[in-house]
Amino acid sequence: MARQSTRKIVLPPLSRRRFLQGLLPAMLPLNGLPMFAAGVPAAQPAFEEISPASSGITWVHTAGKSAEKHLPETSGAGCAFLDYDNDGWMDIYLVNSGKADFYTPPRPLRNELYRNNRDGTFTDVTEKAGVAGGGYGMGVAVGDYNGDGFPDLYVTQFGRNILYRNNGDGTFTDVTDKAGVACAGWSSSAVWFDYDNDGRLDLFVCQFAEFDPALGCGIDKDGVHHYCIPRIFKPRPSWLFHNNGDGTFTDVSRESGIAEHRGKAWGVVATDLNNDGRMDLFVSNDTVANFLFMNRDGKRFSEDGFAAGVAYSGEGRARSGMGVDSADFNNDGWMDLFVANIDEEIFSLYQNNHDGTFDDVAMQQGIGMATRWMSGWGLKFFDYDNDGNVDLILSNGFPDDLVDQISNKVTYREPLLLFHNDGRSFKDVSQQSGPVFMKNFAARGLAIGDFNNDGAVDVLISVNDGAPVLLRNNAAKSNRWLGLKLLGRKSNPDAIGARVTYQAGDLNRTRMKVGGGSFLSSHDPRIVLGLGEHSKVDWLEVHWPEPGGAVERFTGLPADQYVTIVEGTGKWK
């Protein structure tokens, strides 16, 4: 992850990028069109930053940074969109730091849950809900593990994790001990998914390094501590928990093969990479090879990262893998992979070759050079303009907050990146997408969700030691859409692993509902299908992820609204 740089300090010239950043936002084009003309009001930016005064979200992340530069201080934190009260509107959960063996906060710190007021504002309901956390928080995974129709929260921390069961009345109960999922150590990302297709959500938890506060990363020639690359810390195995269906879980890390592989895991996504109906896991590791856990029989996983070509860089080096995701970016029916790394390592877009191997096409697709000097954390594939192609957003920031003093290319705070998929390649449209892309952040987690239910998927970004960033999406207003809430019955309640194929005019697409993705964060469980200019969906098929893979076909679905499909009913509402 972080490392000390030996580059000579040079004052940078005024680059074209910096010059463009200094121009008035109104002068920038939006989707290739001028944002204003003489006598015409300026158009809305593609993404608009919503201020705390407007949203009511006043919470700020506290990292507890110290002179000793303990590595967890620069890693958090995550965030989530979820509908905790099932009113059809996305609420927000934000993870904070807290007491740990290397940090005692001068005042109590807490996570916060914000209820959506349905008018663009949010209300803090943390105390009533009982989800304040208390440990040194990292991330959050949302899933209905007990199948009661209400989303539960799994909060990862340094030291001990928390499972909050949703009581269905606006409150949660800490059931960690009963469930058996505390996971002593340093947990990072986690994901709910059904690895054995028994209809219940299981839990995978990334474990990062074996951190010892007594071990420091050394000091530079001037006697200054830096956050540094974590090679001095030992790798650890991650956890896999099987859902027993009675509120408890069994640790199956060893018998499943997961525990055989020690890593320094940051991000995870559950996806079906070989179209066999079983969910696989792609795990990013820091300074050791990434893992590709292929689900062989619903009981055991094989680690195929090296053979698949996703373990190392093209030069055979282990990189600093952080955020990950999976989507079928080229619409060929096979799920692809993405992983963000630290500066100079180049982020990777892995195209599925349909034979168990992948090719890194980041350079050809226009992503490689754009990310060369970036350090990526949270990220997500999503169709931000509803044209039917999945785009990509990235949150970035260098781990070491002193890097500005020793480098003329890398900065601690970095800009967000937005890539538009035109069906052939990705185009960096960050500069044309709003003033927020001219700012720099120490960004970490990233979650997507439609908080105002207009069909344009919005973005939430957590900032290390700072306030979160809420972005309202204005870019999809010229296109049509259909939103789906899928509820499994034989399948797992969240329908993780479901495939949706739809036809709208000449537009035919397939989308999979993956588990997790990004970094330390969790997303709106609904799927928004971009229709482009088409006013209706001709037909839609849901391939449910239960044994036998039942397929249901629907016609007459309306555009520009959300519908709910319950497995086995043959109806939508």
Side-chain angles (χ1 to χ4, degrees), residues 31-114:
N31 295 331
L33 299 173
M35 289 185 66
F36 72 91
V40 179
Q44 288 181 306
F47 284 89
E48 182 178 358
E49 185 176 2
I50 307 302
S51 70
S54 296
S55 69
I57 300 174
T58 58
W59 176 92
V60 175
H61 178 255
T62 300
K65 292 186 176 181
S66 66
E68 292 76 19
K69 301 288 186 180
H70 298 304
L71 199 57
E73 297 165 3
T74 195
S75 305
C79 56
F81 279 111
L82 74 158
D83 183 8
Y84 85 97
D85 53 0
N86 272 355
D87 68 349
W89 294 76
M90 286 297 114
D91 310 299
I92 285 175
Y93 190 71
L94 299 159
V95 180
N96 211 344
S97 304
K99 186 174 175 56
D101 58 5
F102 58 87
Y103 175 58
T104 300
R107 58 180 178 81
L109 299 174
R110 69 176 194 179
N111 305 342
E112 290 202 0
L113 175 63
Y114 283 94

Side-chain angles (χ1 to χ4, degrees), residues 415-446:
L416 309 174
L417 291 177
L418 182 66
F419 292 92
H420 180 259
N421 182 354
D422 64 8
R424 297 176 299 277
S425 63
F426 286 89
K427 308 295 183 185
D428 183 354
V429 296
S430 311
Q431 296 288 318
Q432 296 86 35
S433 298
V436 70
F437 290 91
M438 308 301 151
K439 295 184 177 181
N440 292 337
F441 303 95
R444 297 296 183 264
L446 180 149

Side-chain angles (χ1 to χ4, degrees), residues 194-514:
D194 183 7
Y195 76 88
D196 57 353
N197 281 344
D198 66 354
R200 298 188 293 265
L201 286 175
D202 309 301
L203 179 64
F204 181 89
V205 184
C206 293
Q207 182 168 198
F208 193 61
E210 186 175 315
F211 177 72
D212 183 350
L215 291 176
C217 295
I219 58 176
D220 64 17
K221 60 183 178 58
D222 297 320
V224 178
H225 284 274
H226 289 261
Y227 294 111
C228 63
I229 197 164
R231 288 198 178 96
I232 62 172
F233 302 121
K234 296 179 181 178
R236 297 289 298 164
S238 294
W239 294 276
L240 178 63
F241 293 96
H242 179 260
N243 189 333
N244 299 323
D246 60 0
T248 68
F249 292 78
T250 298
D251 184 350
V252 294
S253 308
R254 188 174 298 278
E255 49 263 52
S256 66
I258 296 296
E260 296 176 10
H261 305 279
R262 294 174 176 259
K264 300 177 185 179
W266 275 138
V268 59
V269 62
T271 181
D272 181 2
L273 295 170
N274 54 3
N275 289 346
D276 68 350
R278 300 187 182 99
M279 297 300 281
D280 312 302
L281 294 167
F282 181 48
V283 180
S284 60
N285 284 308
D286 195 344
T287 71
V288 296
N290 298 324
F291 294 150
L292 184 61
F293 290 117
M294 296 300 296
N295 189 337
R296 292 307 173 191
D297 55 6
K299 297 178 181 179
R300 189 168 178 83
F301 292 81
S302 63
E303 200 293 287
D304 296 353
F306 179 76
V310 299
Y312 300 100
S313 70
E315 295 75 33
R317 291 193 292 267
R319 293 182 290 184
S320 298
M322 295 183 282
V324 298
D325 200 20
S326 177
D328 179 10
F329 80 88
N330 56 354
N331 299 312
D332 67 351
W334 294 74
M335 298 298 283
D336 310 296
L337 298 169
F338 190 91
V339 60
N341 301 296
I342 207 168
D343 74 292
E344 295 191 69
E345 292 181 345
I346 308 295
F347 300 2
S348 287
L349 175 61
Y350 289 114
Q351 181 174 294
N352 195 324
N353 294 326
H354 313 172
D355 60 1
T357 68
F358 295 78
D359 287 332
D360 187 351
V361 295
M363 296 299 286
Q364 299 95 303
Q365 283 290 322
I367 294 174
M369 289 308 297
T371 61
R372 179 174 182 180
W373 300 110
M374 297 291 169
S375 298
W377 301 86
L379 55 93
K380 202 76 178 92
F381 284 111
F382 74 127
D383 183 3
Y384 77 86
D385 58 352
N386 286 341
D387 67 351
N389 296 317
V390 290
D391 311 300
L392 178 65
I393 191 166
L394 301 160
S395 63
N396 310 290
F398 194 81
D400 185 4
D401 57 3
L402 299 180
V403 69
D404 302 69
Q405 301 177 15
I406 55 177
S407 173
N408 70 315
K409 289 184 178 292
V410 180
T411 59
Y412 174 59
R413 294 177 176 83
E414 296 178 345
L416 309 174
L417 291 177
L418 182 66
F419 292 92
H420 180 259
N421 182 354
D422 64 8
R424 297 176 299 277
S425 63
F426 286 89
K427 308 295 183 185
D428 183 354
V429 296
S430 311
Q431 296 288 318
Q432 296 86 35
S433 298
V436 70
F437 290 91
M438 308 301 151
K439 295 184 177 181
N440 292 337
F441 303 95
R444 297 296 183 264
L446 180 149
I448 62 168
D450 182 7
F451 76 83
N452 56 359
N453 281 348
D454 66 352
V457 180
D458 311 299
V459 179
L460 176 66
I461 299 158
S462 63
V463 175
N464 183 261
D465 213 37
V469 180
L470 180 62
L471 303 181
R472 181 172 59 219
N473 182 346
N474 300 317
K477 292 183 177 180
S478 62
N479 284 325
R480 313 298 291 273
W481 59 279
L482 172 66
L484 298 180
K485 181 178 181 180
L486 301 179
L487 297 178
R489 287 297 178 256
K490 290 183 179 180
S491 304
N492 66 85
D494 292 351
I496 301 299
R499 290 181 185 264
V500 176
T501 301
Y502 67 102
Q503 182 86 35
D506 59 353
L507 185 69
N508 181 273
R509 294 289 185 266
T510 297
R511 297 284 179 258
M512 170 177 279
K513 187 173 181 183
V514 302

